[in-house]
Amino acid sequence: MKFTLSWLKRHLATEASLKEIGEALTSLGLEVDGIEDRAKGLEPFTVGYVIQAEQHPNADRLRVCIVDTGKEQVQVVCGAPNARTGMKGVFAAAGTVIPRTGALLKAGNIRGQASNGMLCSAYEMGLSDDHEGIIDLPADAPVGMPFAKVMGLDDPVIEVAITPNRADCLGIRGIARDLAAFGLGTMKPFDVTPVQGSFESPIQWKIAPGTEKGCPQVAGRLIRGIRNGQSPRWMQDWLTAVGLRPISALVDVTNFTTHDYARPLHVFDADKLACDLTMRWAKQGESLEALNGKTYTLEPSMVVIADDKAAHGIGGVMGGEHSSVTEGTTSVFIESALFTPGMVAATGRKLNLQSDARYRFERGLDPTSPIWGLEVATRIILDICGGEASELTVAGSEPSWRRSLSYRFARSRTLGGIEIAPKEQEAILRRLGFETKGGGEKIEVSPPGWRGDIEGEADIVEEVVRVNGLDKVHAVSMLGSGAMAQPSVSPAQRRPILAKRTLAARGLMEAVTFSFMPSALTELFGGVPAELKLVNPIASDLDAMRPSIIPNLLMAAKRNLDRGLGDPALFEVAPQYKDASPTGQTLAATAIRVGRAVPRNWQSPARDVDAFDAKADALAVLEALGAPIENLQVSTDAPSWYHPGQSASLRLGPNVMAWFGAVHPKVLAALDLKGPAVAMEVFVERVPLPRSKGTGRPKLELSPFQPVERDFAFVVDAAVAAETLVRAARGADKALIADARIFDRYVGDKVGPGKASLALSVTLQPKEATLTDEAIEQVSAKIVAAVQKATGATLRT
């Protein structure tokens, strides 16, 4: 929200400095984003009068000007084509720093003629990119006066951040009200005296049955015999300062009331309307060309302003081009309506249409404003454009907004953290426009119409505390609950961090992608139900919630490859979505690797990524999360976006904790990504939490006895999973066997068709005594027997 200091003083009588106003606004909770002093650096520039401008005797494109600066007459050589006798321009004396270039202006001699200053263009002043000629000031500009003052640039612009609940501060009067309550001045009177109409309006308002839900009330009046020229200089200066372009008196008045009073209005050229105007719901497929030149197709959930022939405006958002006012407008019909915030917000989102009116309507206006807003606009239009006003025409009724809330004075201390005297609290509320009654420890408070955000006691405390001064609320340390600090996060909350650290330590780069993806691509990843497809996506190709993070990471990998960054390895720990149910969101630690696992080097041959790289990533994450790695089973039931022969699941009984494997070729083809590519998904929340309430690691128990390794080779059917053999070996003697792993696999004529030889290394770790040869043989026999029973294997000799 922007406004100038002089515009603020239109409503606030104050002698406070600009610095004091800025500090007060921040203390009130209206944080100042910036204060722009537009006159800074322009102090040396003044109004100069060109007494004489003659052709330079030695240059065709130069003119020699005699300039009256108000103090003296100086000669200036100027190359601007519009330099002429009798004009007034911006004069800079020698020694002035030019704002655009930072160059120091020096007196000199140009083609034999002395030049002791400069007549400046808007480009050189840093005010615009126009450098076709020098600035041509109005004829009534006082000679010698500072240029910034003449152009209204000596009026600082203040910008404040308005929170969504403070719709009243989207008008400068609302900001002035807060400053007055803070003690930084007094409010100037607000004239809402009704303008007496001299005739009945030929255009009447109607609200179609059922439309009250979108527009409960609308008021209007016709003004005839107007002259729609330019708005006054003061209005143009204020509008320009806040970033608005002056258009015409009528349009500028509506923009002025929007920013001055937070009261959006619209004006129709009355001669372009066929008959009475009606607030109604739009018809399916109905279209309207708006003031921005674009045509919008409307829906029945949108309110339109229409006559019998066509719609002339989108309720609460923007008016139509067909009935807009022009320089030739002589009769104007003013609309001052109250639209419901939900309807306006939904309309703006569906049409992707922003406007100052929408911004205010969707935050909620003062329900009393349709009438007084119309009276204010009427008075301004009559003053600027002349004319004759009709009587008011009103349809609908003012919504019920009056309410009474109980307030206990002690709540400023218990909720706000500061003790404020009851009398001061009540005085603050009254200065803000609240009505109070009662006494003692509790009073009844009635918020004003412009404060629709006040709904309970906590809201009243906020008002009291912020006007008293947020800087007066002192920090208070929280008392500890014991000598030992409790963990700030639970084991479950630490898991995403552990997963990220583990994957980063394995050389993968963390990515943060959108939770959305193209709906066409979701079909390759199981699809999503209709409720997970977005009605109003942020981009046309991000129209569905992601069922898996893999496609987003693969698309990011492709973007990296397209830019020459080879072998991307990315991960993301974030939610993915299956359906709209409470259990439809899953936290997944997902990683992808594309290209080579080992680049070309002199020590070993290059190697492409494969399913075992993805498996290693998955197991590393599961181990970091505390999963019982030794007890996990591997099953070949990974989903369809993995390669069916190069993928698997890691599960603990029926609980699937991870998928890993090579990405299916059809997925790579759909993404136009050259493989190989592998991926893994670990479902963080499915990993069982430790049963122990403690968060520390278990005690490390080391054996003083030497471990023993024994190797075995078993011949099994080629279809037997190596995992089955390893599990059998580990279970032969759980107290003594510390580890068992496959270190070789052989298939060939030496073991016969349909057979495979699996070499197994078993580590025996005694804890009570050194193993004897007899004990080792006994354990070896147990291992062979267990493997033979589980797999039907024979010991290869």
Side-chain angles (χ1 to χ4, degrees), residues 321-600:
E321 178 67 27
H322 172 70
S323 56
S324 61
V325 296
T326 63
E327 291 182 1
T329 298
T330 58
S331 294
V332 64
F333 186 75
I334 310 171
E335 168 214 321
S336 180
L338 189 66
F339 298 101
T340 54
M343 184 280 295
V344 174
T347 299
R349 285 196 298 268
K350 289 179 180 179
L351 299 179
N352 193 24
L353 181 55
Q354 293 284 353
S355 68
D356 286 334
R358 173 195 165 182
Y359 191 76
R360 285 159 176 79
F361 275 119
E362 67 185 3
R363 283 160 175 77
L365 297 187
D366 181 353
T368 69
S369 66
I371 304 299
W372 64 251
L374 183 59
E375 299 291 0
V376 168
T378 300
R379 189 173 290 103
I380 297 175
I381 291 174
L382 292 175
D383 288 343
I384 296 174
C385 305
E388 182 182 7
S390 75
E391 298 172 351
L392 294 186
T393 170
V394 180
S397 59
E398 182 179 295
S400 175
W401 58 269
R402 291 173 177 79
R403 58 202 181 279
S404 180
L405 305 172
S406 295
Y407 176 63
R408 292 165 288 177
F409 291 118
R411 299 298 275 168
S412 71
R413 176 179 54 81
T414 57
L415 284 182
I418 185 171
E419 191 79 54
I420 304 173
K423 287 186 178 180
E424 177 59 20
Q425 293 190 48
E426 193 168 0
I428 288 173
L429 292 172
R430 287 179 176 172
R431 292 199 298 270
L432 288 171
F434 291 70
E435 294 179 0
T436 62
K437 59 182 179 180
E441 298 180 354
K442 184 172 72 171
I443 59 173
E444 293 296 314
V445 177
S446 298
W450 59 81
R451 293 307 303 271
D453 59 309
I454 305 297
E455 298 178 346
E457 198 172 35
D459 298 322
I460 300 174
V461 170
E462 180 183 0
E463 295 302 299
V464 170
V465 171
R466 71 179 185 85
V467 173
N468 186 68
L470 293 174
D471 53 339
K472 296 179 181 178
V473 181
H474 302 293
V476 178
S477 299
M478 295 183 65
L479 298 177
S481 58
M484 291 288 291
Q486 297 297 316
S488 58
V489 293
S490 66
Q493 292 170 327
R494 291 182 64 242
R495 286 185 163 182
I497 301 173
L498 292 173
K500 291 179 181 181
R501 288 180 178 175
T502 301
L503 291 168
R506 291 183 60 78
L508 289 94
M509 185 72 68
E510 183 176 10
V512 179
T513 66
F514 283 117
S515 296
F516 321 117
M517 61 185 291
S519 57
L521 192 57
T522 62
E523 301 303 323
L524 295 174
F525 291 83
V528 294
E531 56 264 27
L532 291 188
K533 294 183 179 180
L534 306 183
V535 176
N536 186 30
I538 60 174
S540 59
D541 59 344
L542 297 174
D543 56 346
M545 304 296 288
R546 60 186 179 194
S548 171
I549 303 175
I550 290 176
N552 288 14
L553 293 179
L554 290 175
M555 287 188 284
K558 184 180 185 305
R559 290 192 292 271
N560 280 273
L561 289 169
D562 291 344
R563 287 161 176 77
L565 302 174
D567 305 329
L570 305 173
F571 78 89
E572 183 173 3
V573 181
Q576 59 189 36
Y577 310 91
K578 180 179 66 174
D579 53 51
S581 67
T583 58
Q585 177 176 309
T586 304
L587 181 63
T590 306
I592 58 110
R593 293 180 184 267
V594 180
R596 290 175 172 168
V598 179
R600 292 189 301 171

Side-chain angles (χ1 to χ4, degrees), residues 2 5 21 33 45 137 170-171 173 197 218 229 328 350 376 387 393 474 560 571 585 612 711 727 741:
K2 289 184 177 181
L5 181 60
I21 291 173
D33 282 344
F45 298 87
L137 293 175
L170 293 175
R173 186 166 183 84
V218 60
K350 289 179 180 179
V376 168
T393 170
H474 302 293
N560 280 273
F571 78 89
Q585 177 176 309
F612 293 103
D711 295 341
R727 286 183 177 279
R741 60 185 178 86

Side-chain angles (χ1 to χ4, degrees), residues 747-761:
V747 177
D749 53 0
K750 293 183 179 181
V751 294
K755 298 290 186 179
S757 174
L758 298 179
L760 179 70
S761 175

